[in-house]
Amino acid sequence: MSQQLEEATAVRTRVRREFEERFGAPPAHVARAPGRVNLIGDHTDYNDGFVLPMAIDRAVWIAFRPRDDGRVVLHSLDFDETASFELDDGRKGDAGWLEYVRGVVWALGTAGHRLTRGWEGVVAGDVPVGAGLSSSAALELATARVATALADVTWEPTVMARLAQRAENEWVGVNCGIMDQLISAAGRAGHAMLIDCRSLGTRAVPIPASAAIVVLDTATRRGLVDSAYNERRAQCEAGARWFGVPALRDVDPATFAARSSGLDEITCRRARHVVTENARVLAAADALARGDVAAVGTLMNESHASLRDDFAVSRAELDTMVSLARAHGACHGARMTGAGFGGCAVALVEAGAAGEFARDTARAYEQATGRRPAVYVCSASPGASLEA
Ligand code: GLA
């Protein structure tokens, strides 16, 4: 058994065991929803563009059973804390992780799926929190899985992802796009997912057996990510207005080249990133589908340069990690991934050398920066699921 499979099994076993200890009976169900890593296509989702993420083999698990009253009681093993709320309490709180659960319950209610009975359970996960691997989307989609089981609502990944995004935007107050929620809901084992963030159409793209996806956490976190993220969104919207289109998705590279000289420099750079990144995502999906990992790697490298130079969301440690990863003979390409400003890089490497790559790159990074990175060799996993 691989080490990660053992760890995932351990989390699942832990929530079941803890549930039995607390409630004196086995859970009715266990819900699971994965974190994600984005192979290419960052800051494109909120521009109605394209992304190519995969769900990873790290997830949030919730063991639960219904209650007879209208209360939700949840014990978090990771935060070592029991928290609760009444289903009909529509006031937002500041209870940290619980607000993601409350937000999803609220969002389902706005869509006509009001829960009438509460539930109780145990939650735990192995998606590192705050690393940019979407532990919050995983918690949201695991909650949606719980709620749909209790309310007897059909699980429709796209609908649930939209509702989870609504919870994050309107309840938690983070203005994210759709990528994290949709891949956590709709991931497919062994595949990355090309997502059209306007139509929400998806195309599963197999990851060749010869390639491994390695996530390299720089062990840097940056505050104020929200304000920088919102600023980038506003700059993109200004760019779309200037081109007279609903979103930058509607600007192709030729139109951009012909007309962009009239834009102010910052807006021009931001828009150029989005326009070129969308083209790279589509090219990378095709290259991956035909097994051309060298071409995917080159596109990943170009993506990093664009995020660093035009979109200005990288930082020194991410650039260092990416350079060290690329210097390894087994690496096809590497880039920062997710919102940026800190967190993780992702590398596409030869499967047979993934362990050695992970060790060597981690050591080189620690020598260069004095920070100890976490490194995860990830396999692409299925989206949110429910087991008896
Ligand atoms: C965060 C957001 C996503 C997306 C990425 C950048 O992860 O939650 O919606 O915008 O940043 O690609």
Side-chain angles (χ1 to χ4, degrees):
M1 208 193 299
S2 79
Q3 195 193 340
Q4 181 45 30
L5 192 55
E6 269 175 44
E7 273 180 38
T9 312
V11 181
R12 175 171 167 270
T13 309
R14 273 204 308 139
V15 293
R16 278 190 178 277
R17 192 181 304 138
E18 182 73 19
F19 185 98
E20 292 213 29
E21 270 172 30
R22 285 180 176 261
F23 300 104
H29 298 284
V30 180
R32 168 202 145 272
R36 65 98 185 90
V37 64
N38 189 20
L39 303 189
I40 191 164
D42 275 308
H43 294 275
T44 45
D45 63 351
Y46 55 80
N47 289 297
D48 278 3
F50 299 96
V51 293
L52 188 66
M54 70 177 213
I56 59 174
D57 45 347
R58 291 177 170 269
V60 168
W61 300 77
I62 305 178
F64 66 98
R65 71 177 179 193
R67 282 170 67 102
D68 292 330
D69 59 9
R71 203 162 179 75
V72 175
V73 183
L74 206 47
H75 180 77
S76 163
L77 288 176
D78 302 324
F79 294 95
D80 191 22
E81 165 180 279
T82 302
S84 64
F85 63 97
E86 292 291 334
L87 285 175
D88 59 10
D89 179 0
R91 290 168 305 170
K92 292 177 196 171
D94 53 4
W97 61 273
L98 188 70
E99 294 308 313
Y100 294 92
V101 177
R102 296 186 62 197
V104 169
V105 169
W106 164 81
L108 279 156
T110 65
H113 307 310
R114 269 183 70 81
L115 289 185
T116 49
R117 286 167 76 190
W119 45 284
E120 56 199 1
V122 174
V123 57
D126 58 358
V127 187
V129 173
L133 299 177
S134 294
S135 60
S136 51
L139 178 55
E140 288 157 9
L141 271 301
T143 303
R145 260 298 186 191
V146 173
T148 48
L150 294 172
D152 207 12
V153 175
T154 313
W155 177 260
E156 220 287 78
T158 310
V159 174
M160 291 305 144
R162 269 269 184 250
L163 291 174
Q165 183 198 13
R166 179 155 199 211
E168 181 126 2
N169 292 165
E170 294 177 37
W171 188 279
V172 180
V174 174
N175 208 10
C176 63
I178 189 68
M179 168 169 68
D180 308 345
Q181 287 78 15
L182 188 49
I183 189 63
S184 181
R188 185 154 152 207
H191 292 70
M193 196 69 76
L194 173 65
I195 300 174
D196 176 336
C197 298
R198 174 171 279 167
S199 69
L200 300 193
T202 58
R203 181 178 130 211
V205 184
I207 296 175
S210 62
I213 306 297
V214 182
V215 172
L216 305 149
D217 186 346
T218 58
T220 57
R221 306 287 181 259
R222 173 150 155 200
L224 301 180
V225 172
D226 284 359
S227 57
Y229 186 88
N230 290 338
E231 183 190 56
R232 296 299 183 286
R233 282 190 75 137
Q235 290 164 340
C236 290
E237 282 156 21
R241 270 196 305 279
W242 192 85
F243 280 101
V245 292
L248 284 175
R249 144 72 175 271
D250 300 301
V251 180
D252 60 34
T255 309
F256 182 83
R259 294 196 43 210
S260 61
S261 57
L263 272 169
D264 71 86
E265 188 183 338
I266 293 286
T267 314
C268 178
R269 283 176 180 274
R270 306 298 185 252
R272 183 166 58 203
H273 165 70
V274 175
V275 171
T276 57
E277 185 83 344
N278 277 328
R280 282 187 290 270
V281 174
L282 295 174
D286 286 344
L288 195 61
R290 41 167 216 276
D292 188 349
V293 285
V296 179
T298 302
L299 290 159
M300 290 171 76
N301 294 346
E302 289 169 8
S303 167
H304 183 79
S306 180
L307 286 158
R308 182 192 59 207
D309 302 337
D310 277 347
F311 218 67
V313 290
S314 189
R315 65 183 280 163
E317 289 87 346
L318 281 166
D319 296 341
T320 300
M321 184 69 94
V322 163
S323 315
L324 293 169
R326 283 182 203 161
H328 197 284
C331 184
H332 300 296
R335 58 186 285 277
M336 56 151 278
T337 182
F341 310 107
C344 294
V346 60
L348 182 69
V349 306
E350 278 165 32
E356 178 203 318
F357 167 84
R359 263 192 319 278
D360 293 352
T361 310
R363 194 178 307 128
Y365 178 81
E366 190 172 349
Q367 269 167 11
T369 65
R371 294 176 190 269
R372 174 155 302 172
V375 181
Y376 312 105
V377 180
C378 293
S379 54
S381 300
S385 57
L386 184 75
E387 55 186 53

